[in-house]
Amino acid sequence: MTALPRRIIKETQRLMQEPVPGISAVPDDTNARYFHVIVTGPEDSPFEGGLFKLELFLPEDYPMSAPKVRFITKIYHPNIDRLGRICLDILKDKWSPALQIRTVLLSIQALLSAPNPDDPLANDVAELWKVNESEAIRNAKEWTRRFAMDN
Amino acid sequence: MCEMAKEAFASRNYRLAVEIYERCMKQQPPSFEIFFGYGDSLARCGRLREALDVYAQCFAIIAVPPERLRHLATALLEDIGGTSLPRRRTEASFVCPYCEGTLYQPVTANCGHTYCRNCLESSKCCRACGLKFGPSGETNVLVQRLVEKWWPREAEASRARHEGDLFMREGHVGQALERYNLAVRLAPNSPLHLSNRAHALLMLSRPQASLTDADHAIRLRPDWGKGHFRRGVALAALGRHEEALFAFCTSVAIDRNPQTVRQEITRVLHRMLSSNHRRQNSPATRGPYNMVQTIARSRRNRHHLLLPLMNPIQHHRRAALNTSDCEDNSSGEEDFSQTVCRRLMPTSVPHDNARLHAILDRVYQEVEKLKRVDARPAEILLPPLSRGDPAEGDLDCILCCRLLWKPVATPCGHTYCWMCLDRCLDYSSACPLCVTSLADYLASSQKTVTDFVERALKSVASTEYAARAASHRLELVQSLGLLDSEQIAVFICTTAFPRVACPLFVYEPRYRLMVRRCFEIGVREFGIAACLNREATGTKKYAEYGTMLEIRDRVLLKDGCSILSTVGGRRFRVLSGDERDGYDTAQVEFLRDTPVQPEQLLNLLELHDKVRTKGRRWWDTVPSSQQSEIQRVFGSMPDIEEDWSRLPDGPSWTWWILAILPLGPQLQVGILGTTSLEKRLRAIEKTLDHMEQRQLTVAPAPSEDTTTSASICSDDRTIVGNPVPVIQRS
């Protein structure tokens, strides 16, 4: 195992010292490249009041490659599938090494505030979101209550 | 005779010209043409004082157009400018190499030197290193941040000065003066602002105020040429020609910029010589009328005078034109060289010339003094001494979060460590910060360390920068596994064989990094192993046995990919694997054949010869088109080494034939791992026999171009399943 790059140490320190409001990211005790993340559902979104667990992993060639992020808590969202995989451009082709864990998590938080059913990952959810948004939002709230609260 | 002298002068043989002119003057009554030719030749010989005397005599008789003094001016300038003053060291400070002031809108040029945007756009090549500028990029944000943070007042003043310069360029001198006033107020100790203000004041016909600013600028920096130049111009405008000459000469001595000063100095010399002559004559004898009298008198009294060639009245009129301030009289010389001829005595030196001589002497003395001054830039900007506030974080690379190491700036103005940027460009040709395409930048391979930032690092974080250099080196060594003799970096691609060529096309980011590291540290070696079973298991797995490859040559392509010519070296067995920045590293043991026992040697010799013969025979059956394709990549079949039985990898030709025989990848790996030469020979023999039975040959090599290995791999005509790997892709 090679030494942890300074970049990761710095980012971790900053995440601890100046945490992003509504986001917590704590490195795993045994693997400094693996983060336990909790994102608070943004206000005025169907996810408000929920605490969403995610896992974030920094691959060996981070920051040249994007972090791998996945929702662990079930979530009803057109851009997040049943396995918790996230459809977000900066995690894929729009990744830039100048982006950070912090910016990635902020983008995910923003994605919760602004679902984008036109670029879906979960097709059924996206479809409902387009056809009957109020029902989709009801579902999202229901899922938030069921899976993202009181645990 | 006179023509000969002219010729000598034209071919720059000035000494000869002087001699011929002197003879000319003895033999025939001298004309002005001869006289000026003589003066010019003397001047170009460096005999400036004598030249001055000769010209002075001409001036005493006739009005001379200033243009006529160009050789004198040139000689003077060359004489002064040619002295070996130390070159100005702008690198002693953090200033723009062009204006020598605080950087305003800093842009880093392709050579790594940083200029104010205006300054960069008004020059063609770098003042610091002479490199020709490419298209200028965007403002270097890091440099701008540092300048504004470290020297806020100077930065503000520099902005005012540059704004003033723009106003000047557009002819709004009044507005320019306001900006310069502000600049002087903000940074009163910068001679640059004073100098520019002096220029504006002069344009506003305030030479006295201009002189005051120029003097102030010189007091602040006595060794700054521009200040002396401004002083000269102001003095000339005030009619103080001798002082002006002195100031101009000083300027040239410091800046060695004779081109900009030539015109001014010619004009001043002209005025000086003219006024010298005026002083000699009483006011009553001056003017064109007097000239007529002079000529008339001469004609009467001196029988050996040549007559003017043109009619006297015409001549008088022209002479009259010439006597007035004749700076823009371009027709003067023409008249001059063919017209008035008079007897002139080179020996009769007017007493007042002593004055001119004295000025020259003073100029040379000053220049001598200046030689001892260490030339420095106009503004001296020193980085902050306190280590606490200045650069905390500012000088860190945004990518690696460490102190910048070999900082480079992209055309879009962003700074990264050289190696960090290289790595980013392996993955994407966009700037990590602003996503501007850097494809052209990558293709031009014009990366250079940003001088400003590197010096900033060395001055505010010298220890850390040195430590960074050391740790970079250490990482490089570690990343290639060079700390441990049995630790290697592995290129996972194909099986290569000892002493057989293996051309590689390197395009994967991780291998681009690996190869770049090899080159940076000067170790031209890495391991290669075949990739096995990737599809079957879904995981990457590479062969247990591999070969070291020695890089013979590299062709860097514009997109950052490269083609490597390599040749196989030692074989290894992988003991354990690890990963480094995306590529594999491995702990290995190196293999060598088990020594041949004396009692086996005879049998082995026999087997060797038999297999070699079979190999030859088979080779001869390979169609010639394939033969030449194979030879192009792998060379001809190697000759048998004399001591082949004692070599760690046995005879080379066995590996060569193994490389071209259509063997499956697993089989290749298996044979590579065999440490028994006998087993290897038998494997070859078996393959050859097998092929002979089925009359098989190697797969045809259909590619025209070596980089299309993919097409060869999928070729249906491949018989045993393994194609001839013409060139392997990473």
Side-chain angles (χ1 to χ4, degrees):
Chain A
M1 194 70 206
T2 48
L4 204 60
R6 171 95 177 139
R7 157 90 184 234
I8 297 177
I9 296 171
K10 275 272 193 183
E11 278 200 57
T12 310
Q13 272 174 359
R14 190 150 167 247
L15 281 169
M16 302 288 116
Q17 284 160 7
E18 313 158 41
V20 193
I23 296 174
S24 99
V26 183
D28 188 77
D29 292 339
T30 57
N31 184 353
R33 287 175 177 270
Y34 185 87
F35 287 77
H36 302 276
V37 180
I38 295 170
V39 173
T40 322
E43 277 176 33
D44 302 323
S45 78
F47 312 101
E48 186 175 350
L51 290 179
F52 296 90
K53 275 195 208 166
L54 294 90
E55 58 178 1
L56 182 147
F57 179 71
L58 304 175
E60 176 66 23
D61 55 356
Y62 177 82
M64 296 303 142
S65 296
K68 310 249 178 288
V69 200
R70 189 178 75 91
F71 270 85
I72 294 173
T73 306
K74 275 172 79 78
I75 183 167
Y76 193 85
H77 191 288
N79 309 107
I80 300 161
D81 72 3
R82 284 170 194 285
L83 296 173
R85 292 179 300 190
I86 307 161
C87 176
L88 187 61
D89 57 357
I90 60 156
L91 291 177
K92 310 223 155 55
D93 54 324
K94 292 285 160 55
W95 170 254
S96 154
L99 294 169
Q100 303 177 1
I101 302 174
R102 166 183 297 265
T103 42
V104 164
L105 294 179
L106 274 168
S107 300
I108 291 173
Q109 201 180 33
L111 189 68
L112 295 188
S113 291
N116 179 10
D118 293 324
D119 183 20
L121 194 62
N123 279 317
D124 50 334
V125 179
E127 196 54 38
L128 189 64
W129 216 281
K130 277 203 272 195
V131 179
N132 188 347
E133 193 178 340
S134 57
E135 196 193 330
I137 289 175
R138 240 189 343 269
N139 285 349
K141 281 184 179 166
E142 171 61 17
W143 280 43
T144 306
R145 201 184 52 73
R146 270 171 62 196
F147 304 112
M149 288 184 190
D150 307 317
N151 39 358
Chain B
M1 193 94 157
C2 179
E3 290 307 314
M4 275 171 61
K6 273 191 199 163
E7 235 168 71
F9 188 85
S11 57
R12 297 177 178 231
N13 196 343
Y14 303 125
R15 265 163 215 260
L16 182 65
V18 166
E19 275 177 34
I20 301 175
Y21 275 124
E22 278 172 356
R23 255 187 286 154
C24 256
M25 283 185 293
K26 275 180 204 155
Q27 287 173 10
Q28 67 186 85
S31 64
F32 274 113
E33 192 188 354
I34 293 178
F35 224 71
F36 267 110
Y38 181 49
D40 291 345
S41 309
L42 282 171
R44 295 313 280 275
C45 280
R47 292 158 70 178
L48 282 170
R49 284 175 188 75
E50 292 161 78
L52 208 53
D53 296 341
V54 173
Y55 292 123
Q57 287 196 45
C58 300
F59 272 77
I61 291 156
I62 190 167
V64 181
E67 175 54 23
R68 210 43 262 217
L69 290 174
R70 64 182 190 280
H71 290 295
L72 176 65
T74 306
L76 181 61
L77 289 171
E78 276 177 5
D79 207 27
I80 294 166
T83 51
S84 57
L85 277 179
R87 195 164 177 82
R88 189 184 306 291
R89 292 181 297 117
T90 40
E91 64 269 27
S93 182
F94 288 86
V95 295
C96 165
Y98 185 84
C99 72
E100 298 182 18
T102 310
L103 286 157
Y104 169 61
Q105 296 181 328
V107 178
T108 301
N110 45 345
C111 57
H113 292 105
T114 307
Y115 285 77
C116 307
R117 174 170 299 285
N118 288 344
C119 298
L120 184 71
E121 282 165 5
S122 49
S123 33
K124 287 199 178 70
C125 55
C126 181
R127 288 229 171 160
C129 65
L131 198 83
K132 200 163 172 284
F133 288 143
S136 61
E138 297 297 317
T139 301
N140 185 323
V141 275
L142 174 59
V143 173
Q144 180 157 346
R145 192 160 66 228
L146 292 176
V147 168
E148 283 171 1
K149 192 169 176 179
W150 289 353
W151 309 287
R153 281 181 78 85
E154 288 83 354
E156 192 55 36
S158 187
R159 168 201 287 273
R161 175 168 58 85
H162 277 92
E163 286 168 356
D165 292 349
L166 283 181
F167 279 128
M168 283 298 273
R169 225 175 283 170
E170 290 159 13
H172 307 307
V173 187
Q175 281 158 295
L177 183 63
E178 275 173 35
R179 304 309 294 159
Y180 293 146
N181 281 338
L182 173 64
V184 171
R185 233 182 0 260
L186 283 165
N189 287 330
S190 163
L192 283 169
H193 312 323
L194 288 162
S195 154
N196 287 18
R197 190 166 74 175
H199 182 44
L201 286 167
L202 193 76
M203 301 288 280
L204 293 167
S205 306
R206 291 165 63 187
Q208 190 59 52
S210 175
L211 180 63
T212 310
D213 271 357
D215 280 342
H216 189 181
I218 294 170
R219 267 199 303 283
L220 289 168
R221 286 235 77 78
D223 58 334
W224 188 51
K226 193 80 166 278
H228 292 277
F229 177 73
R230 292 272 177 249
R231 180 180 149 82
V233 180
L235 284 168
L238 288 165
R240 291 155 68 177
H241 302 307
E242 289 174 17
E243 289 168 86
L245 176 71
F246 180 67
F248 287 136
C249 290
T250 313
S251 158
V252 173
I254 295 168
D255 273 355
R256 287 188 282 175
N257 55 342
Q259 295 317 319
T260 48
V261 183
R262 185 189 310 273
Q263 204 189 345
E264 300 292 340
I265 222 163
T266 311
R267 199 176 303 176
V268 163
L269 278 170
H270 181 259
R271 294 244 175 97
M272 278 170 63
L273 283 163
S274 304
S275 62
N276 195 42
H277 146 242
R278 269 179 224 131
R279 259 199 310 281
Q280 278 183 285
N281 298 292
S282 67
T285 59
R286 286 166 59 193
Y289 184 65
N290 173 54
M291 189 66 78
V292 183
Q293 285 184 330
T294 314
I295 291 163
R297 200 171 51 235
S298 314
R299 219 191 287 168
R300 254 195 326 276
N301 301 344
R302 313 269 162 98
H303 62 276
H304 56 265
L305 262 180
L306 291 175
L307 289 172
L309 295 172
M310 56 167 77
N311 116 28
I313 307 216
Q314 194 188 350
H315 167 249
H316 299 156
R317 206 171 55 240
R318 297 209 180 179
L321 279 172
N322 288 351
T323 355
S324 64
D325 204 335
C326 25
E327 276 159 31
D328 50 359
N329 187 343
S330 50
S331 67
E333 189 187 0
E334 191 191 327
D335 292 343
F336 202 78
S337 52
Q338 355 166 308
T339 57
V340 195
C341 305
R342 273 189 59 83
R343 177 171 178 266
L344 294 153
M345 295 293 291
T347 46
S348 67
V349 178
H351 282 297
D352 262 30
N353 271 6
R355 217 181 136 74
L356 293 174
H357 286 195
I359 295 170
L360 266 191
D361 290 341
R362 199 173 137 224
V363 165
Y364 283 111
Q365 278 167 17
E366 264 321 292
V367 172
E368 274 308 307
K369 252 190 255 170
L370 284 167
K371 278 187 192 171
R372 274 167 259 137
V373 178
D374 190 12
R376 284 177 300 172
E379 277 185 17
I380 302 291
L381 301 174
L382 298 172
L385 285 175
S386 63
R387 295 277 307 286
D389 100 276
E392 202 47 67
D394 276 341
L395 289 169
D396 282 353
C397 170
I398 186 174
L399 298 173
C400 66
C401 292
R402 295 188 289 182
L403 199 65
L404 283 160
W405 162 240
K406 287 195 174 183
V408 288
T410 60
C412 47
H414 298 113
T415 300
Y416 309 99
C417 300
W418 182 305
M419 288 74 200
C420 289
L421 181 60
D422 266 347
R423 278 200 73 188
C424 289
L425 293 175
D426 286 343
Y427 289 79
S428 150
S429 59
C431 171
L433 275 169
C434 67
V435 208
T436 303
S437 167
L438 297 176
D440 292 343
Y441 175 66
L442 178 63
S444 68
S445 57
Q446 269 179 339
K447 235 179 298 110
T448 32
V449 170
T450 308
D451 178 64
F452 183 103
V453 180
E454 190 176 48
R455 280 187 300 110
L457 286 158
K458 283 180 179 165
S459 38
V460 299
S462 54
T463 335
E464 293 87 340
Y465 195 61
R468 183 76 172 81
S471 70
H472 170 75
R473 180 100 194 144
L474 182 65
E475 283 158 30
L476 210 57
V477 166
Q478 281 175 337
S479 69
L480 294 173
L482 300 171
L483 278 186
D484 181 337
S485 62
E486 309 215 311
Q487 176 102 43
I488 60 166
V490 193
F491 191 105
I492 298 170
C493 178
T494 186
T495 296
F497 301 96
R499 296 193 293 284
V500 177
C502 180
L504 293 170
F505 177 53
V506 183
Y507 67 90
E508 269 185 70
R510 51 187 178 153
Y511 295 130
R512 280 161 62 158
L513 172 68
M514 189 182 98
V515 170
R516 205 166 44 241
R517 283 176 169 169
C518 284
F519 272 84
E520 196 189 335
I521 206 160
V523 172
R524 304 275 183 105
E525 202 187 37
F526 56 84
I528 189 167
C531 176
L532 300 172
N533 294 340
R534 190 170 7 202
E535 281 155 35
T537 59
T539 53
K540 64 174 183 185
K541 180 175 175 288
Y542 60 96
E544 191 185 354
Y545 296 100
T547 313
M548 295 306 287
L549 283 183
E550 188 192 314
I551 306 170
R552 289 286 166 87
D553 188 26
R554 173 171 68 159
V555 179
L556 251 179
L557 304 177
K558 283 196 166 184
D559 57 0
C561 298
S562 55
I563 295 174
L564 294 183
S565 305
T566 66
V567 68
R570 290 181 293 174
R571 293 170 286 158
F572 59 80
R573 186 165 88 88
V574 176
L575 301 176
S576 66
D578 203 342
E579 198 180 335
R580 164 73 73 154
D581 301 318
Y583 62 82
D584 289 83
T585 57
Q587 191 73 37
V588 298
E589 67 173 348
F590 290 104
L591 306 180
R592 53 175 303 146
D593 282 350
T594 35
V596 181
Q597 298 305 313
E599 64 272 18
Q600 300 169 334
L601 194 57
L602 259 177
N603 284 340
L604 190 67
L605 274 171
E606 198 178 314
L607 177 67
H608 171 270
D609 292 350
K610 188 171 76 177
V611 178
R612 166 97 184 178
T613 314
K614 281 190 182 178
R616 269 259 167 239
R617 205 163 57 218
W618 166 75
W619 173 245
D620 291 339
T621 65
V622 174
S624 61
S625 63
Q626 288 180 35
Q627 278 188 348
S628 59
E629 181 71 9
I630 289 166
Q631 279 174 332
R632 197 159 63 83
V633 179
F634 300 109
S636 317
M637 185 190 275
D639 292 334
I640 304 166
E641 292 91 348
E642 238 168 63
D643 55 347
W644 58 264
S645 63
R646 287 192 299 278
L647 293 174
D649 300 307
S652 304
W653 71 266
T654 55
W655 298 114
W656 179 86
I657 210 161
L658 280 167
I660 62 174
L661 281 174
L663 297 165
Q666 296 279 11
L667 213 51
Q668 282 185 324
V669 173
I671 297 175
L672 187 73
T674 307
T675 53
S676 154
L677 173 57
E678 188 193 333
K679 277 191 187 167
R680 207 157 57 237
L681 285 167
R682 293 208 185 283
I684 296 169
E685 185 181 28
K686 205 169 152 191
T687 313
L688 289 171
D689 289 348
H690 173 73
M691 297 217 314
E692 201 175 34
Q693 277 169 22
R694 297 180 50 183
Q695 296 204 313
L696 297 178
T697 64
V698 285
S703 71
E704 294 90 42
D705 134 16
T706 53
T707 60
T708 54
S709 67
S711 69
I712 304 167
C713 292
S714 59
D715 199 297
D716 296 336
R717 286 170 290 181
T718 301
I719 296 157
V720 183
N722 181 51
V724 180
V726 173
I727 183 164
Q728 299 294 339
R729 291 171 157 255
S730 68

